[in-house]
Amino acid sequence: AQSVTQPDIHITVSEGASLELRCNYSYGATPYLFWYVQSPGQGLQLLLKYFSGDTLVQGIKGFEAEFKRSQSSFNLRKPSVHWSDAAEYFCAVGFQKLVFGTGTRLLVSP
Amino acid sequence: EAGVAQSPRYKIIEKRQSVAFWCNPISGHATLYWYQQILGQGPKLLIQFQNNGVVDDSQLPKDRFSAERLKGVDSTLKIQPAKLEDSAVYLCASSPDNSGNTIYFGEGSWLTVV
């Protein structure tokens, strides 16, 4: 069965510190991989996506993610977090339809 | 470019009542999705349309949920009768084709069933 695991429900990071959000998936083949961000009361905004090729992908707002086939992972990273990054982050996988993880809520402390 | 439009943004109804949500996708997008996002969970696909045809409705509770996209443009999602567990955000999304490589989401319609 297709599934996405985001093991961290909440993460608190100090402003200016680095960030890594974990995502592991289970799928029949290497699917398309996505990270979305959702601010309170808002819809989902695409941060970045991986289809093929270079396993390190760059996204908007200074985010990047690395696909590791051997670990079935697609972790999201940012070198320096800003207070405005506080939001819920969702990893998703699939082709025509997406399967989402349960999300990781990022809190940014001053 | 206008995004995916949804209305109403917020709705509170009593259980056993009915409710309808409307979605207007990005112009020219052939594929339209409805997702349900329960608080604390990730979005779950309810139904996928390709133009005005249903591609996947395997997770749509058909005893109470219905959706249509008659002219292949905008879409409505109806719940009748609503249950308490239907309280969720209903997200509409669209994509230019059915490859799934770029899906754009609306801001969602927030439903509370009391």
Side-chain angles (χ1 to χ4, degrees), chain A residues 38 41-42 49 51 96-97, chain B residues 33 56 98 101-102 107:
Chain A
Q38 186 177 41
Q42 302 297 313
K49 57 189 178 185
F51 297 153
Q96 288 189 30
K97 65 177 184 180
Chain B
Y33 309 82
D56 184 347
N98 64 356
N101 63 11
T102 305
E107 293 189 324

Side-chain angles (χ1 to χ4, degrees), chain B residues 48-85:
Chain B
Q48 176 187 348
F49 292 95
Q50 179 72 17
N51 296 310
N52 61 351
V54 176
V55 174
D56 184 347
D57 64 356
S58 57
Q59 298 193 86
L60 186 74
K62 298 180 185 64
D63 58 334
R64 297 182 300 104
F65 286 64
S66 64
E68 60 183 15
R69 194 186 185 198
L70 293 177
K71 297 183 179 179
V73 180
D74 55 356
S75 174
T76 55
L77 175 70
K78 297 179 181 177
I79 307 173
Q80 181 180 13
K83 292 185 175 182
L84 296 177
E85 58 261 37

Side-chain angles (χ1 to χ4, degrees), chain A residues 6 9 32-34 36 38-46 49 51 88 90-91 93-103 105, chain B residues 9-10 31 33 35 37 40-45 48 50 55-56 58-59 89 91 98-108 110:
Chain A
Q6 293 182 247
I9 298 175
Y32 296 161
L33 300 159
F34 306 83
Y36 283 87
Q38 186 177 41
S39 297
Q42 302 297 313
L44 296 165
Q45 181 183 22
L46 180 67
K49 57 189 178 185
F51 297 153
E88 186 108 25
F90 291 94
C91 180
V93 304
F95 292 103
Q96 288 189 30
K97 65 177 184 180
L98 298 183
V99 176
F100 284 83
T102 52
R105 180 165 298 278
Chain B
R9 288 294 316 278
Y10 305 94
T31 305
Y33 309 82
Y35 281 82
Q37 184 179 16
Q41 300 181 18
K44 181 186 79 172
L45 179 69
Q48 176 187 348
Q50 179 72 17
V55 174
D56 184 347
S58 57
Q59 298 193 86
V89 181
L91 295 164
N98 64 356
S99 69
N101 63 11
T102 305
I103 299 176
Y104 300 87
F105 284 83
E107 293 189 324
W110 296 66

Side-chain angles (χ1 to χ4, degrees), chain A residues 20-93:
Chain A
E20 182 169 28
L21 302 182
R22 297 182 290 166
C23 173
N24 292 92
Y25 67 90
S26 174
Y27 208 86
T30 298
Y32 296 161
L33 300 159
F34 306 83
W35 275 99
Y36 283 87
V37 61
Q38 186 177 41
S39 297
Q42 302 297 313
L44 296 165
Q45 181 183 22
L46 180 67
L47 286 176
L48 47 79
K49 57 189 178 185
Y50 172 79
F51 297 153
S52 63
D54 191 347
T55 57
L56 185 63
V57 294
Q58 302 297 319
I60 63 171
K61 303 184 179 185
F63 285 92
E64 66 178 26
E66 184 173 13
F67 168 59
K68 293 185 177 180
R69 184 189 307 273
S70 61
Q71 299 177 19
S72 295
S73 69
F74 189 56
N75 294 348
L76 182 71
R77 300 194 295 247
K78 186 170 185 178
S80 178
V81 168
H82 188 262
W83 64 267
S84 60
D85 293 325
E88 186 108 25
Y89 292 80
F90 291 94
C91 180
V93 304

